[in-house]
Each structure stands twice: as structure tokens, then as C-alpha cells.
């Protein structure tokens, strides 16, 4: 790979890392802001009790339940952030593809919601492990999702499915077809480049105003005994 | 004088519900919207002293909603309350007509102070417009 290509790859990787962490920081800020309001509500109730207005038990239970929901949500976000950040640690490692995909789609859900679209991703029928580059793999899947989301309107559905084979895996994304143009071409070229960097390829088809992107990812199964997970 | 009437617009349901409860406990009248399009519908003909908008929302974002609200009622006092507080976004919001650009988490007393200021400004603007209309009528009729 020449120097310009290496530099471009580094730039798109950084842009992807930035986009994901910016989205996660927004999600975390929403959790903190909600906890801030709920603790404020608790302080209001305490002040009321001190002034002689007793607090009904169910009111306290509601506050407790809200705090529990938000801390659970925050813990999930931080766990995904941590996993995502560590996906840059090694260029080749054992990847639990079904777990990686579920985490990545949870991160991408925010962008789906902003489009008022729906994401359908049935759980993988069985754990699927390959050896590969987890960061670049996430970048490719995310780029495919963003491409389909770019054309999504309120109520549109994007489906994501994972399948394994003898010599790797396939992630299939289907969503609304975008209008032809230079942006679409550039996005496709970027996706093809990302998959080529992984030693894989993109298969694309169009039917009834919907585009299907099959991301073919090569990867030998992990050695017996397993190893680190993405 | 009655307490202000406020429209809270944010897709973070639990955040909005709790903030609304705390405001209502302080006597404010609070309506809640989950998205920009619903906020624009609610604000049509309603006398809100302040509208508090999130920036990143499903469908219409905060800036687009702000523009539609002001096109509907140029005197509407709209504040952005967001976790996306960048200088760039703040400038865009203020250029688009927002009276404030506040960052989450927000202190309730600070927010209530801004709402009361907004109500005062809104009342002054309405009084000014009434005076201007009366002036126009008097001038055009030549009384």
C-alpha cells in the first residue's frame, strides 16, 4: 500500500473513531443529565419532607426505578465504549462476530432513531468466531449502515443479518436505495476499499427501491482453545 | 401574576418527564413534545412563554424546529438545551434566533431564571407590536 493510501486509511479510521465516540459521549451525557434531574427531584422531595410534606413510598420507588434504569443504561454504554476502544489494540485477533455486530448496532441505533427509521437485526443463530481486524471490520459495517441511513426516511426499515461459512462470514444490510450521484459512488468506493483492506469484498444488488449490501469477510476460524475477544 | 407556560421538546423521555415534574412542582405549566414536528403543531396558537428545545432529535432537529417556530411566531422565545454544545452550534442557534444556548446537565434554578427573563422579553415584544399596530391604525385613518 502506498503512502497516500495508508494516510487516507488512517484518516477515515480516525473519522470513524471520532464519529462513534462523539455519538457515545452524547448518549452518556443524556444519561448523566437524566440522573442529574432525578437526583434534583429527590432533593425536592427531601426538602418537602423537611418542610412537613411527607413523601409517599411509591414516589420514592419511582425515583429509585428511574435511577436504576439510567445507571443500567449508562453501564451498557460504557461497556460498549470500552470494547470499541480496545478494538484498536491489535490488527488481528479472535472476534466474536455476533457480539461485535450486536454492540455496533447498539451504537448505531442512535443514528437510526434520528432518522426515525427502524433497525431489524435478528440475533445470530449461533456464536460466530473468526480471526481478523475488529476495528476495520466495524468501520466497514458502520459505513454500510450509514450509507443506507443516508437515504432513510421516517418509517423506513434497515435489516442486518449475519451468516457464517467455511471461509469467513457475511454481513448483509438491506435498506432504502439512495439517489444516484457522486456521493453514492464515493460512499460505495470507500466501502469497497475498506473491505478490500480486510481481504474481503462487497456484493451489491438493487430490487424494488431497496439496496442490499453483502459484506463478505474472510477469516479463518480461531485456533482451538480460543483467545481474546473483540 | 401566573407562573410561565413552557413547552419542553426532547426525545429523552425520562429526562423531559422529570424536568417537567420539577417545573410543575414550582407552579409552571409545562407541555412536553418528543419531536420537532409535534412541537411546531403544539406551538401553533398556543401562548408559550418559552420553548426549550433539544438540538439532536429524531426527524426535525433543533435548529430546523427553531426556524419553523419563529416563522410561525417571530416573538416566540426559544432556547436550545443540548448535550451537543459546540461553539459552532451555539453560533448557528443564536444566528437562527435562539435566545439562549444552554448545555446539559442544566441547573434548574438557572433555567427557571432564563424562562422568567424570556417571559418578560416576550411580553415586551407583544406590547411593542400592539403599540406599533395602534400607531399604524391611527396614522392610516388620519384621526
Amino acid at each position: 500500500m502506498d503512502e497516500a493510501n495508508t494516510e487516507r486509511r488512517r484518516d477515515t479510521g480516525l473519522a470513524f473513531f471520532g464519529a462513534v465516540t462523539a455519538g457515545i459521549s452524547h448518549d452518556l451525557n443524556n444519561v448523566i443529565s437524566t440522573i442529574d434531574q432525578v437526583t434534583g427531584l429527590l432533593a425536592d422531595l427531601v426538602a418537602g419532607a423537611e418542610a412537613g410534606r411527607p413523601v409517599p413510598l411509591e414516589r420514592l420507588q419511582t425515583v429509585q426505578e428511574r435511577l436504576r434504569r439510567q445507571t443500567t443504561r449508562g453501564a451498557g454504554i460504557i461497556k460498549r465504549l470500552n470494547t470499541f476502544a480496545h478494538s484498536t489494540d491489535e490488527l488481528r485477533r479472535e472476534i466474536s462476530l455476533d457480539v461485535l455486530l450486536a454492540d455496533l448496532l447498539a451504537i448505531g441505533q442512535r443514528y437510526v432513531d434520528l432518522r426515525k427509521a427502524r433497525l431489524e437485526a435478528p440475533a445470530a443463530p449461533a456464536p460466530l468466531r473468526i480471526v481478523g481486524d475488529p476495528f476495520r471490520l466495524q468501520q466497514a459495517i458502520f459505513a454500510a449502515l450509514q450509507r443506507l441511513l443516508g437515504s432513510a426516511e421516517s418509517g423506513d426499515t434497515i435489516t442486518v443479518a449475519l451468516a457464517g461459512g467455511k471461509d469467513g462470514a457475511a454481513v448483509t444490510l438491506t435498506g432504502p436505495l439512495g439517489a444516484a450521484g457522486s456521493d453514492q459512488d464515493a460512499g460505495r468506493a470507500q466501502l469497497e476499499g475498506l473491505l478490500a483492506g480486510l481481504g474481503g469484498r462487497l456484493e451489491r444488488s438493487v430490487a424494488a427501491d431497496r439496496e442490499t449490501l453483502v459484506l463478505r469477510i474472510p477469516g479463518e476460524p480461531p485456533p482451538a482453545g480460543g483467545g481474546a475477544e473483540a | 401574576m401566573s407562573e410561565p407556560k413552557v413547552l419542553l421538546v426532547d426525545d429523552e423521555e425520562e429526562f423531559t418527564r422529570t424536568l417537567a415534574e420539577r417545573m410543575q412542582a414550582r407552579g409552571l405549566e409545562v407541555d412536553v413534545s418528543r419531536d420537532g414536528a409535534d412541537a411546531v403543531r403544539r406551538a401553533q396558537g398556543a401562548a408559550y412563554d418559552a420553548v426549550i428545545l433539544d438540538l439532536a432529535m429524531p426527524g426535525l432537529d433543533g435548529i430546523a424546529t427553531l426556524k419553523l417556530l419563529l416563522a410561525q411566531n417571530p416573538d416566540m422565545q426559544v432556547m436550545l438545551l443540548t448535550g451537543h454544545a459546540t461553539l459552532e452550534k451555539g453560533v448557528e442557534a443564536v444566528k437562527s434566533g435562539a435566545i439562549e444556548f444552554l448545555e446539559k446537565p442544566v441547573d434548574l434554578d438557572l433555567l427557571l431564571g432564563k424562562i422568567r427573563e424570556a417571559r418578560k422579553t416576550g411580553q415586551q415584544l407583544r406590547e411593542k407590536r400592539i403599540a406599533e399596530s395602534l400607531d399604524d391604525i391611527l396614522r392610516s385613518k388620519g384621526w
Side-chain angles (χ1 to χ4, degrees), chain A residues 26 29-30 32-34 36-38 40-41 44 59 66 69-70 73 110 113-114 116, chain B residues 12 14-15 17-19 21-22 26 35 54 56-59 82-84 104-106:
Chain A
H26 183 260
N29 197 44
N30 276 329
I32 289 166
S33 301
T34 304
D36 177 63
Q37 283 307 320
V38 179
L41 177 60
D44 292 349
R59 198 84 181 90
R66 285 184 196 176
R69 269 199 299 270
Q70 293 302 321
R73 180 184 170 202
R110 159 182 166 64
D113 291 342
L114 285 174
K116 287 190 155 184
Chain B
E12 274 293 314
E14 204 138 79
F15 170 79
R17 191 193 310 150
T18 311
L19 180 56
E21 279 174 27
R22 297 186 70 204
R26 285 160 175 78
D35 64 56
D54 185 21
M57 292 186 292
T82 179
H84 276 292
K104 285 181 188 173
V106 67

Side-chain angles (χ1 to χ4, degrees), chain B residues 55-142:
Chain B
L55 193 59
M57 292 186 292
L60 286 178
D61 69 8
I63 299 285
T65 306
L66 164 71
K67 288 176 180 169
L68 286 172
L69 287 169
L70 292 179
Q72 208 165 262
N73 176 2
D75 295 341
M76 183 77 78
Q77 303 293 294
V78 186
M79 306 177 205
L80 269 290
L81 174 60
T82 179
H84 276 292
T86 61
L87 181 62
E88 202 179 41
K89 284 288 175 194
V91 169
E92 190 185 359
V94 171
K95 275 187 176 170
S96 302
I99 57 162
E100 291 287 346
F101 189 75
L102 302 167
E103 195 171 0
K104 285 181 188 173
V106 67
D107 178 73
L108 182 59
D109 289 335
L110 172 86
L111 186 59
L112 293 175
K114 300 286 182 193
I115 291 168
R116 295 205 166 89
E117 276 175 36
R119 172 151 84 163
K120 207 167 153 189
T121 307
Q123 281 168 344
Q124 285 167 350
L125 285 171
R126 279 192 294 278
E127 283 165 13
K128 192 177 159 210
R129 288 204 193 277
I130 291 168
E132 283 169 356
S133 310
L134 284 173
D135 219 27
D136 283 349
I137 293 167
L138 290 173
R139 235 184 277 128
S140 65
K141 298 293 179 193

Side-chain angles (χ1 to χ4, degrees), chain A residues 140 167 169-171 191-204 213-218:
Chain A
D167 51 357
V171 181
L191 190 50
E192 283 169 344
L194 284 167
L195 284 163
L198 288 162
R201 66 178 196 282
L202 175 70
E203 291 169 11
R204 176 181 176 268
L213 304 168
V214 183
L215 282 55
R216 296 269 176 209
I217 305 148

